[in-house]
Amino acid sequence: MTMSSVAVSAFLASAQALAAGVGRAPDREHALESVRRASALTSELDALLQVIVDDARAAGVTWQGIGEILGVSRQAAFQRFGHPIDPRTGEPMNTTPLDGAEEIAIAVFADLAAARWSAVTDRFDATMAEALAAEDLAAVWAQLIGTVGVFERSTAPTARRTADVTVVEVPLEFEAGDMVGRVSVRDDHAIAGLFVLTPAAAASGS
């Protein structure tokens, strides 16, 4: 039996077990267990999709073809499912996002919305700190507010590892438009990059 067959069999077994409990007389304990099992099933589905994409790549399917099926760019498909090799070492790159990176990114935009400029710049690595002082960051944020209005809220972020940093994208809602905040976080939790992009630019990988 191939790895794909094993993954499919495991997923189907989990799905069938969950489905068997649907429709029973509701009680709190059963409901919580169903939520837990459904959450685990989502993780299993992600793992299954990774195996299937690996099989497709082995069969010669391009990243463009995979991206079109999934409704994303070929770059986004590669970033999610690829197995890049580090040219410095010849070893597979770590593709697991840094724990806590999403929380750091959310905190950055909460601090910007509250005009806590130095709270953001204090997180910068040496290169970012030299390039962007607190007053310059304030001016950039003011220019953004002048373009799309008052910041209203951020929504669920997504994270991916790119070589030595974890790139977090945070959807940002303003009174007159939506933007995407992109924060690059190093493994020491310092910020190596900070951008606010239009959704189209973020989707294109710009």
Side-chain angles (χ1 to χ4, degrees), residues 28-80:
R28 184 175 181 276
E29 183 176 349
H30 173 69
L32 287 174
E33 176 62 15
S34 294
V35 171
R36 185 194 67 77
R37 293 172 72 176
S39 178
L41 195 61
T42 299
S43 297
E44 290 183 25
L45 181 57
D46 287 342
L48 175 59
L49 185 55
Q50 177 69 67
V51 172
I52 291 172
V53 169
D54 288 345
D55 282 354
R57 288 289 295 156
V61 179
T62 65
W63 287 114
Q64 181 71 34
I66 292 169
E68 288 175 357
I69 290 172
L70 298 177
V72 300
S73 68
R74 63 180 181 178
Q75 181 180 4
F78 174 77
Q79 288 172 343
R80 179 177 177 185

Side-chain angles (χ1 to χ4, degrees), residues 14-27:
S14 297
Q16 289 169 352
L18 179 63
V22 174
R24 292 180 180 175
D27 63 76

Side-chain angles (χ1 to χ4, degrees), residues 1-11 48:
M1 183 177 291
T2 66
M3 185 175 180
S4 297
S5 297
V6 171
V8 170
S9 297
F11 177 78
L48 175 59

Side-chain angles (χ1 to χ4, degrees), residues 2-198:
T2 66
M3 185 175 180
S4 297
S5 297
V6 171
V8 170
S9 297
F11 177 78
L12 289 176
S14 297
Q16 289 169 352
L18 179 63
V22 174
R24 292 180 180 175
D27 63 76
R28 184 175 181 276
E29 183 176 349
H30 173 69
L32 287 174
E33 176 62 15
S34 294
V35 171
R36 185 194 67 77
R37 293 172 72 176
S39 178
L41 195 61
T42 299
S43 297
E44 290 183 25
L45 181 57
D46 287 342
L48 175 59
L49 185 55
Q50 177 69 67
V51 172
I52 291 172
V53 169
D54 288 345
D55 282 354
R57 288 289 295 156
V61 179
T62 65
W63 287 114
Q64 181 71 34
I66 292 169
E68 288 175 357
I69 290 172
L70 298 177
V72 300
S73 68
R74 63 180 181 178
Q75 181 180 4
F78 174 77
Q79 288 172 343
R80 179 177 177 185
F81 299 107
H83 303 285
I85 302 299
D86 193 327
R88 299 165 296 184
T89 64
E91 299 293 327
M93 287 185 179
N94 177 12
T95 58
T96 302
L98 175 70
D99 284 343
E102 293 181 350
E103 289 76 9
I104 290 172
I106 291 172
V108 163
F109 294 106
D111 287 334
L112 289 173
R116 295 190 289 264
W117 322 118
S118 60
V120 177
T121 56
D122 285 348
R123 295 178 180 267
F124 286 175
D125 67 8
T127 301
M128 280 289 293
E130 184 176 354
L132 191 64
E135 58 268 25
D136 299 322
L137 178 62
V140 172
W141 187 255
Q143 183 178 6
L144 179 64
I145 297 304
T147 302
V148 290
V150 175
F151 175 74
E152 296 180 338
R153 65 170 184 154
S154 62
T155 56
T158 58
R160 67 180 187 276
R161 178 176 283 275
T162 303
D164 299 327
V165 299
T166 294
V167 178
V168 183
E169 294 194 342
V170 185
L172 306 173
E173 296 181 3
F174 296 80
E175 65 173 319
D178 295 335
M179 304 293 281
V180 177
R182 180 180 291 167
V183 183
S184 297
V185 184
R186 299 191 336 186
D187 286 347
D188 62 1
H189 292 180
I191 292 174
L194 174 60
F195 303 91
V196 178
L197 308 169
T198 64

